[in-house]
Amino acid sequence: MPVTHFSIQQINKTDTQQASQVTACDQAHNTEQYAHSIISEFKRIQGSRAGRQYGMFSPEHPGFRALLMQWREEQIPFVRFCQQVTRQLALQLDQHEELFQGYLCFLAEHLERGDRLFIFHLRQTAALTLNTTLELLETDYIEFSETGFGVAIDLQSLTEGADKYLTLSFGRGDRGIKPVVCEWLGYMDTVDKKAETEHFLALVDTYCNDLPSEESQPLREKVIDYCMDQDKAGEPVVFAALSDQVDAGLERYVRQHQQSPKEELIPDRKQLRNYLRFTGKNNDVSISFASTSLGKEVEFDPTQEVLMIRNLPKSLLRQLKKLHDEDR
């Protein structure tokens, strides 16, 4: 996965009454020294985020896309593209009066399946270090665990006119910046992960219900494990791969009963987790149990909205019995 281009630009907006300050870097960064480790870290971060969004550039907001295509068509160099879109983000921040500090890291890589561009918001954190005379000194370092929003653009799919080539993810505390980033990119959703995953899991259920009980639950678990692994890797669930990795009959069934013809699924992680387990909590109670327990160890009365639980965990049972004995 050779990194072909690498640039870092800086934006600071610490006061809503003042314009954003952009510190532009005119020189491209060395792609050999740190770029490969940084892009690997970005991919790991992107894959770990459950709330990834998938879409494309909106034709109503062509600014970012126009500059991207100018770089791709070699009308402007990569560094100038990075500088100009960074200034665009600064202007967008000023329109929203949103505070922002950090760096935009731009990395392009060349793959056999096509080129990709990554943009991530990096933050620095203060720390202490020791020098050669064992004096404590203050320093700043890049804290990858505090990485902000991330953008991944499949440039091959963009060129081919696909409707899903732009991936967005956001870090902790990024709620305020989310609409700014979407407007900056001219982003529009084209994938309803929740609805598509619900439909897929409903097909899995219907298919498994016709199997013997000793086969149905292991197959459900295998499907979820496969989908979770694909999601964590940042890859879609390709239905053709279900034959080899999961079950050929399931793949045929899914294809025959799709709402619209699709070759792959981008799964919603929350739906996958809830498929095998029911979970919920409020201020006083937190409950989680396997879906296979419903109707066995766990019974639900919908009219009374009451759960009856048998076969309690031993540790919980001990606590309850101890409390009961103390109250006697």
Side-chain angles (χ1 to χ4, degrees), residues 127-238:
L128 293 177
T129 186
L130 289 166
N131 64 12
T132 55
T133 61
L134 301 185
E135 293 178 303
L136 281 169
L137 301 174
E138 192 172 280
T139 186
D140 290 335
Y141 71 98
I142 294 173
E143 179 56 86
F144 284 104
S145 66
E146 297 297 323
T147 298
F149 70 83
V151 181
I153 304 172
D154 185 330
L155 298 169
Q156 180 69 29
S157 296
L158 169 62
T159 303
E160 294 172 351
D163 63 356
K164 181 188 68 202
Y165 49 76
L166 182 53
T167 306
L168 283 183
S169 71
F170 294 90
R172 293 189 299 270
D174 271 353
R175 180 174 296 182
I177 200 68
K178 185 174 180 179
V180 181
V181 172
C182 289
E183 289 181 21
W184 169 53
L185 296 169
Y187 171 83
M188 59 183 289
D189 276 317
T190 56
V191 177
D192 188 339
K193 291 196 303 179
K194 182 176 183 294
E196 292 187 8
T197 304
E198 284 179 344
H199 177 62
F200 170 74
L201 293 177
L203 294 180
V204 173
D205 248 351
T206 307
Y207 178 79
C208 290
N209 286 341
D210 292 334
L211 299 175
S213 58
E214 65 272 13
E215 296 180 17
S216 60
Q217 188 59 23
L219 180 56
R220 287 186 173 95
E221 293 174 358
K222 192 175 181 180
V223 169
I224 297 303
D225 287 344
Y226 177 70
C227 291
M228 289 290 283
D229 288 343
Q230 290 298 103
D231 182 64
K232 289 175 181 177
E235 298 292 338
V237 175
V238 179

Side-chain angles (χ1 to χ4, degrees), residues 56-322:
M56 61 186 294
F57 294 121
S58 168
E60 298 177 2
H61 303 280
F64 186 99
R65 187 183 189 280
L67 288 168
L68 178 64
M69 298 312 296
Q70 286 180 32
W71 162 56
R72 292 291 289 167
E73 294 167 2
E74 299 183 349
Q75 298 176 24
I76 59 175
F78 183 75
V79 171
R80 185 171 302 172
F81 157 71
C82 298
Q83 291 173 341
Q84 292 192 20
V85 295
T86 300
R87 293 191 178 100
Q88 282 186 345
L89 177 57
L91 292 173
Q92 206 69 49
L93 287 165
D94 292 341
Q95 291 178 21
H96 285 257
E97 296 187 347
E98 187 68 29
L99 299 181
F100 186 91
Q101 282 185 289
Y103 307 83
L104 295 188
C105 183
F106 298 81
L107 287 152
E109 68 170 351
H110 176 70
L111 302 171
E112 287 187 10
R113 61 181 178 180
D115 297 345
R116 291 195 292 181
L117 173 68
F118 293 89
I119 308 170
F120 275 82
H121 170 209
L122 289 178
R123 298 184 177 105
Q124 288 200 139
T125 300
L128 293 177
T129 186
L130 289 166
N131 64 12
T132 55
T133 61
L134 301 185
E135 293 178 303
L136 281 169
L137 301 174
E138 192 172 280
T139 186
D140 290 335
Y141 71 98
I142 294 173
E143 179 56 86
F144 284 104
S145 66
E146 297 297 323
T147 298
F149 70 83
V151 181
I153 304 172
D154 185 330
L155 298 169
Q156 180 69 29
S157 296
L158 169 62
T159 303
E160 294 172 351
D163 63 356
K164 181 188 68 202
Y165 49 76
L166 182 53
T167 306
L168 283 183
S169 71
F170 294 90
R172 293 189 299 270
D174 271 353
R175 180 174 296 182
I177 200 68
K178 185 174 180 179
V180 181
V181 172
C182 289
E183 289 181 21
W184 169 53
L185 296 169
Y187 171 83
M188 59 183 289
D189 276 317
T190 56
V191 177
D192 188 339
K193 291 196 303 179
K194 182 176 183 294
E196 292 187 8
T197 304
E198 284 179 344
H199 177 62
F200 170 74
L201 293 177
L203 294 180
V204 173
D205 248 351
T206 307
Y207 178 79
C208 290
N209 286 341
D210 292 334
L211 299 175
S213 58
E214 65 272 13
E215 296 180 17
S216 60
Q217 188 59 23
L219 180 56
R220 287 186 173 95
E221 293 174 358
K222 192 175 181 180
V223 169
I224 297 303
D225 287 344
Y226 177 70
C227 291
M228 289 290 283
D229 288 343
Q230 290 298 103
D231 182 64
K232 289 175 181 177
E235 298 292 338
V237 175
V238 179
F239 294 130
L242 286 174
S243 291
D244 299 327
Q245 301 296 327
V246 182
D247 182 89
L250 174 61
E251 185 234 340
R252 289 193 296 271
Y253 186 84
V254 169
R255 287 187 178 277
Q256 292 170 2
H257 295 84
Q258 287 177 318
Q259 292 175 334
S260 57
K262 292 182 183 296
E263 296 298 320
E264 62 185 33
L265 165 77
I266 296 177
D268 181 80
R269 192 176 300 180
K270 185 177 181 181
Q271 297 296 314
L272 295 177
R273 286 173 174 163
N274 290 344
Y275 180 68
L276 294 180
R277 297 195 69 82
F278 292 103
T279 61
K281 64 180 180 179
N282 56 29
N283 291 334
D284 301 311
V285 178
S286 177
I287 297 176
S288 174
F289 58 90
S291 59
T292 52
S293 299
L294 198 61
K296 299 174 183 177
E297 290 89 353
V298 180
E299 293 185 12
F300 175 57
D301 182 345
T303 58
Q304 300 292 323
E305 295 185 351
V306 170
L307 277 179
M308 180 177 292
I309 304 175
R310 301 182 181 87
N311 192 22
L312 293 174
K314 292 181 179 179
S315 59
L316 175 60
L317 195 57
R318 283 196 301 268
Q319 295 175 62
L320 293 172
K321 286 184 175 180
K322 181 180 178 181

